């Protein structure tokens, strides 16, 4: 955002005083835009989406998200700011809303199309003939960017206290130029009617170098875990174990002492009457580390009153399960009444958390084997359970009933 404001101020030209004045005006406009957007996205929007009528309409959040993004871009343009800045503000504020995970899951197909169009448009900016003619300039710029960003990121990561091996890996992973640079470069270039602050040569060089660093990124990410070991070997400092997300140590007796441990976690999908009963029993047994996923705001409010972690979203979406941390769960309990929906969730959980124990509610006995074949470990059959309870109650009452006198 600061870079966008600076570029916008520089586009107006003039001396230092004029640029500072334009920057101050742009900053004030941006503050007003962010403040108004924050109030709308964090106070009005949650109440709107939480209404009983709207939250049942699965298409409304998608349409609302698109309207808000376009509306923010239009508002920023009316304020004299870049439309990209308005869309960016909308995205940031939507990302911190309680509906962010579900919105991301719902717009995923649209996101794929838009990202494809974005990078296709970026690719059309590239001119291979121009790159061939200015290969030295582009190569020098790419090397300067990769080395400069890698060194800066590595140094900052090390300064905040992380191990130097991890800092080197982080520097390589973040050595590329971000995609937002295309937006900044395009705004700074201006239009034929209103030329900007970048010449055509500099604009082409920036775009070409950015594309090259993005192409190099997968290879840098793949090399990052091994970079520390290579550097240590190159400097003759001996071998070093490749750093991993989960480190371990070995004790004197040969046992493995884990230094990174995930506590046993339970995921409860659905918090209707059945889910609330399950949560109550677990809480009485001392289980506190429970996360609840549901699409009903009233159920999530009840779960919050229980003191449980809640996640608004549809558990049939991979993004919702991943955001809730299903891969770290040891136990997953599905209490939803719909067998087809449960079957779909079972397949997803088995893909994301194959070692988790899966408890599933089965409403009809005929669906029992379908859920078992899908991958459920424990199935509670409602019809079978009801039959057992009815028989138990009948036997209890009959055992307490005195025999009828002979007629």
């Amino acid at each position: 955002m600061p870079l966008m404001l600076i570029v916008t101020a520089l586009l107006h030209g003039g001396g230092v005083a004029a640029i500072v004045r334009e920057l101050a005006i742009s900053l004030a406009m941006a503050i007003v835009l962010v403040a108004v957007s924050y109030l709308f996205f964090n106070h009005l929007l949650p109440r709107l989406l939480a209404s009983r009528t709207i939250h049942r309409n699965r298409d409304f959040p998608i349409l609302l998200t698109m309207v808000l993004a376009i509306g923010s871009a239009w508002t920023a343009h009316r304020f004299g700011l870049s439309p990209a800045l308005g869309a960016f503000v909308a995205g940031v504020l939507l990302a911190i809303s309680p509906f962010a995970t579900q919105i991301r899951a719902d717009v995923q197909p649209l996101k794929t199309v838009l990202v494809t169009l974005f990078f296709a448009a970026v690719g059309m900016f590239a001119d291979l003939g121009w790159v061939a003619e200015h290969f030295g300039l582009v190569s020098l710029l790419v090397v300067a960017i990769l080395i400069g960003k890698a060194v800066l990121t590595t140094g900052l990561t090390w300064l905040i206290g992380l191990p130097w091996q991890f800092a080197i890996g982080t520097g390589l992973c973040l050595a590329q130029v971000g995609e937002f640079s295309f937006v900044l470069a395009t705004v700074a270039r201006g239009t034929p009617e209103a030329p900007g602050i970048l010449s055509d040569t500099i604009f082409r060089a920036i775009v070409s170098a950015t594309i090259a660093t993005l192409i190099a990124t997968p290879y840098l990410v793949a090399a990052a875990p091994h970079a520390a070991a290579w550097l240590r070997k190159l400097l003759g400092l001996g071998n070093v174990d490749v750093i991993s997300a989960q480190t371990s140590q070995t004790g004197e007796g040969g046992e493995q002492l884990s230094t990174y441990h995930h506590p046993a976690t339970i995921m409860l999908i659905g918090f209707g009457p059945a889910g609330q009963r399950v949560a109550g029993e677990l809480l009485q047994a001392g289980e506190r580390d429970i996360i609840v996923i549901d699409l009903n705001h009233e159920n999530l409010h009840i779960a919050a009153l229980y003191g449980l972690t809640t996640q608004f979203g549809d558990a049939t979406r991979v993004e919702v399960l991943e955001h809730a941390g299903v891969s770290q769960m040891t136990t997953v309990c599905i209490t939803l009444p719909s067998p087809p929906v449960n079957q779909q969730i079972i397949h997803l959980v088995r893909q994301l958390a194959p070692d988790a124990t899966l408890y599933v509610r089965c409403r009809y006995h005929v669906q029992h084997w379908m859920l078992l074949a899908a991958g459920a470990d424990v199935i509670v059959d409602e019809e079978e359970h009801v039959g057992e309870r009815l028989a138990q109650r009948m036997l209890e009452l009959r055992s307490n009933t005195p025999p009828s006198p002979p007629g």
Side-chain angles (χ1 to χ4, degrees):
M1 290 178 65
L3 286 174
M4 183 63 75
L5 293 174
I6 292 173
V7 169
T8 303
L10 291 175
L11 287 174
H12 291 85
V16 176
I19 293 176
V20 171
R21 182 176 64 255
E22 291 293 338
L23 183 59
I25 295 174
S26 298
L27 181 60
M29 295 280 190
I31 292 175
V32 172
L33 175 64
V34 172
V36 173
S37 300
Y38 180 83
L39 292 175
F40 180 80
F41 280 82
N42 289 271
H43 295 280
L44 180 60
L45 181 61
R47 294 183 181 181
L48 183 64
L49 291 177
S51 65
R52 185 183 297 272
T53 304
I54 290 178
H55 84 77
R56 294 178 180 176
N57 189 334
R58 297 298 307 279
D59 296 327
F60 183 79
I62 303 175
L63 297 175
L64 182 61
T65 301
M66 297 304 300
V67 170
L68 291 176
I70 297 173
S72 297
W74 179 83
T75 303
H77 177 68
R78 295 291 295 176
F79 275 17
L81 303 173
S82 169
L85 178 62
F88 180 75
V89 170
V92 170
L93 294 177
L94 280 172
I96 61 175
S97 71
F99 310 95
T101 303
Q102 185 59 40
I103 289 175
R104 279 195 295 267
D106 286 335
V107 302
Q108 186 65 33
L110 187 61
K111 170 189 170 184
T112 303
V113 173
L114 293 178
V115 169
T116 302
L117 290 175
F118 174 78
F119 281 104
V122 169
M124 294 174 68
F125 273 121
D127 187 342
L128 296 181
W130 188 93
V131 173
E133 294 177 4
H134 302 80
F135 185 77
L137 173 63
V138 174
S139 300
L140 182 62
L141 190 57
V142 170
V143 172
I145 290 172
L146 293 179
I147 294 178
K149 283 201 67 179
V151 170
L152 286 173
T153 307
T154 299
L156 291 173
T157 307
W158 180 75
L159 285 175
I160 63 176
L162 294 176
W164 66 270
Q165 300 98 326
F166 182 79
I168 292 174
T170 304
L172 288 176
C173 289
L174 300 180
Q176 79 283 355
V177 181
E179 296 87 349
F180 201 72
S181 61
F182 293 115
V183 178
L184 287 171
T186 303
V187 173
R189 184 190 189 188
T191 62
E193 296 78 16
I197 58 177
L198 292 183
S199 66
D200 185 69
T201 300
I202 296 178
F203 174 78
R204 288 175 180 269
I206 291 174
V207 170
S208 301
T210 301
I211 294 174
T213 61
L214 291 176
I215 293 174
T217 297
Y219 303 100
L220 295 174
V221 172
H226 310 283
W230 291 343
L231 182 61
R232 196 174 181 93
K233 184 178 180 180
L234 181 65
L235 298 177
L237 300 177
N239 296 325
V240 63
D241 294 333
V242 176
I243 190 168
S244 61
Q246 182 171 342
T247 58
S248 60
Q249 300 175 350
T250 303
E252 296 180 357
E255 71 278 9
Q256 197 174 40
L257 305 176
S258 175
T259 60
Y260 186 72
H261 175 66
H262 283 297
T265 311
I266 300 173
M267 175 177 286
L268 190 55
I269 300 176
F271 206 69
Q276 294 171 24
R277 181 62 182 269
V278 171
E281 296 291 337
L282 291 175
L283 291 173
Q284 287 186 3
E287 297 285 353
R288 298 286 176 182
D289 195 11
I290 304 172
I291 182 169
V292 175
I293 300 179
D294 204 305
L295 268 173
N296 189 302
H297 297 276
E298 296 177 358
N299 290 344
L300 292 179
H301 178 68
I302 296 173
L305 295 177
Y306 276 53
L308 305 178
T309 304
T310 61
Q311 170 67 61
F312 174 83
D314 183 358
T316 62
R317 299 298 185 95
V318 174
E319 295 83 0
V320 174
L321 293 175
E322 288 179 338
H323 188 269
V326 67
S327 60
Q328 303 172 7
M329 302 296 159
T330 59
T331 304
V332 177
C333 180
I334 305 174
T335 67
L336 301 176
S338 173
V341 172
N342 290 346
Q343 186 181 21
Q344 187 176 355
I345 296 174
I346 291 171
H347 287 303
L348 293 178
V349 172
R350 278 288 166 253
Q351 294 175 14
L352 302 173
D355 297 328
T357 304
L358 196 53
Y359 297 82
V360 183
R361 169 187 177 183
C362 178
R363 192 167 189 179
Y364 305 107
H365 181 72
V366 70
Q367 307 286 353
H368 182 103
W369 296 108
M370 179 189 74
L371 298 176
L372 191 63
D377 294 303
V378 178
I379 297 177
V380 177
D381 190 327
E382 287 189 23
E383 292 184 329
E384 183 177 342
H385 186 66
V386 169
E388 291 177 355
R389 289 294 296 159
L390 284 173
Q392 181 181 356
R393 292 296 295 160
M394 289 173 62
L395 292 174
E396 289 176 355
L397 291 175
R398 287 178 63 85
S399 63
N400 294 329
T401 302
S404 302

